[in-house]
Every structure is written in C-alpha cells, then in structure tokens.
Amino acid sequence: MTKRAVYAGSFDPITNGHLDIVRRALAVFDEVVVAVAHNSQKDSALFTAAERVDMIRDALADVAERVQVDSFEGLLVHYCRRMDARVIIRGLRAVSDFEYEFQMAMMNHHLNQEIETVFMIAGEAYFYTASRLVKEVVSLGGDVSALVPRGVSHRLVQKLAATRAKLT
Ligand code: ADP
C-alpha cells in the first residue's frame, strides 16, 4: 500500500523552510501531496493559487515522480479523503507555532479520526523563515534569495512592484 501524506498550507509563497519539510516527509512517506489551501471567496494571498502551485512545481521538479502539487478549497480532512491520504504533514518552527497547530490537529482529528497529523521540525536554518516575513522584507527592498527557491524571489519582486503600481 502506498503511504501518501498531504502537506497543506497557504504557501504564499513557498520558502526553503517548506521545501525542507517536504524533503523530510519524502524520507518517511512514499508520496507527498503538496496542497495549496485557498478560498476563492476571501483569499487575501499575494499570489493566486495557480501561481503558488506553479512555483512549488518548479522548486520540486527533481522529485516530481513522488510529489503531487495541487490546490483545494474547503476542509482539509475532506480533501485528504478524496486523495486517499491518512496523514497530514505540518511543519513546526518555534514554540509560537505550537498552539495554532495543536488546535488544528485536534479539530481535524475530531472531524475524521482516521487521519493523523504528523509534525516535522524545521531545520535550524529555517527556524525563522516565514512566508509573511519574506513578503515584508521584499516589499521593503530586502534580499531573500537565500530563503526561497530560485524563481520565487524574482516573482516576489515582480508581484510586489505590480501591487505597488496598482495602489499608486
Ligand atoms: P498556513 O497553513 O498556516 O498558512 P504556511 O503555508 O505558511 O501556513 O505553512 C504550512 C505549514 O508549513 C505550517 O505547518 C507551517 O508551520 C509550516 N512552515 C512554514 N514555514 C516553515 C519553515 N520555515 N520551516 C518549517 N515549517 C514551516
């Protein structure tokens, strides 16, 4: 039986911290589905779901035979059932992630007892990498090329310039 796990998140955009978690998960599971969670009614993300999927595919091209990249709306446990996956992967950085992640894991378990959440600890190099911070740094003119896959920093600069142009 194929051991398939779903690694879900906003991935707005994918960072090297997220990629570290995917690669750790691939050491344990046969297949990993990286799933961009989005809400077409009220998505406040910088990138569209399709753009986020595109950037993730590019960054994981070398392991494409064991990684599916997808997007979904609605409950994660429903998505896992559709994908025939019984494991949800989440990444943990500092203690500050814990409370939110703990709540989500408990709720998902309440909704479907057959699905387990497995936490993977971020590599220490990525402990302070967060999509939100990366966007903030780029919007203020900083360089994040060591924190995100190649291609993502370029797209961040383009996207934030376009967003600024729209506002002025
Ligand atoms: P959310 O689903 O809360 O919007 P993200 O898309 O930012 O979160 O991240 C998805 C998952 O990856 C979460 O479990 C988050 O804690 C984890 N994660 C985010 N950044 C890192 C990182 N630098 N290292 C390890 N895990 C991370």
Side-chain angles (χ1 to χ4, degrees):
M1 205 176 80
T2 307
K3 279 193 285 172
R4 180 180 297 137
V6 170
Y7 179 35
S10 316
F11 304 114
D12 185 42
I14 186 124
T15 68
N16 289 343
H18 294 128
L19 292 177
D20 180 54
I21 298 291
V22 175
R23 292 182 196 280
R24 282 164 194 266
L26 282 171
V28 179
F29 299 97
D30 301 317
E31 279 180 28
V32 174
V33 180
V34 183
V36 172
H38 73 111
N39 179 340
S40 48
Q41 302 304 308
K42 59 171 185 80
D43 213 333
S44 54
L46 178 65
F47 291 98
T48 65
E51 287 170 331
R52 286 178 265 166
V53 164
D54 227 41
M55 288 186 276
I56 299 170
R57 278 211 185 110
D58 271 1
L60 290 166
D62 61 315
V63 284
E65 73 287 352
R66 290 173 59 211
V67 174
Q68 278 187 65
V69 186
D70 193 15
S71 62
F72 73 100
E73 289 196 63
L75 283 177
L76 176 55
V77 289
H78 291 169
Y79 177 73
C80 288
R81 217 168 37 202
R82 288 203 298 281
M83 296 304 284
D84 203 17
R86 291 190 162 205
V87 174
I88 294 170
I89 304 281
R90 296 287 291 177
L92 281 182
R93 287 159 292 187
V95 194
S96 51
D97 277 342
F98 183 78
E99 190 164 346
Y100 172 72
E101 293 293 343
F102 187 78
Q103 270 185 0
M104 291 288 291
M106 296 299 275
M107 180 55 81
N108 284 329
H109 196 254
H110 167 78
L111 296 171
N112 187 334
Q113 284 83 52
E114 289 179 352
I115 298 177
E116 287 298 335
T117 301
V118 170
F119 292 103
M120 299 208 153
I121 308 290
E124 55 193 19
Y126 310 113
F127 238 64
Y128 299 100
T129 307
S131 301
R132 182 188 52 77
L133 210 54
V134 156
K135 285 182 280 194
E136 211 170 302
V137 168
V138 174
S139 75
L140 296 171
D143 175 20
V144 295
S145 52
L147 307 177
V148 295
R150 225 182 324 173
V152 170
S153 49
H154 181 64
R155 288 176 86 149
L156 266 168
V157 171
Q158 276 184 332
K159 182 66 116 179
L160 286 165
T163 311
R164 255 200 312 271
K166 243 189 254 170
L167 293 174
T168 52

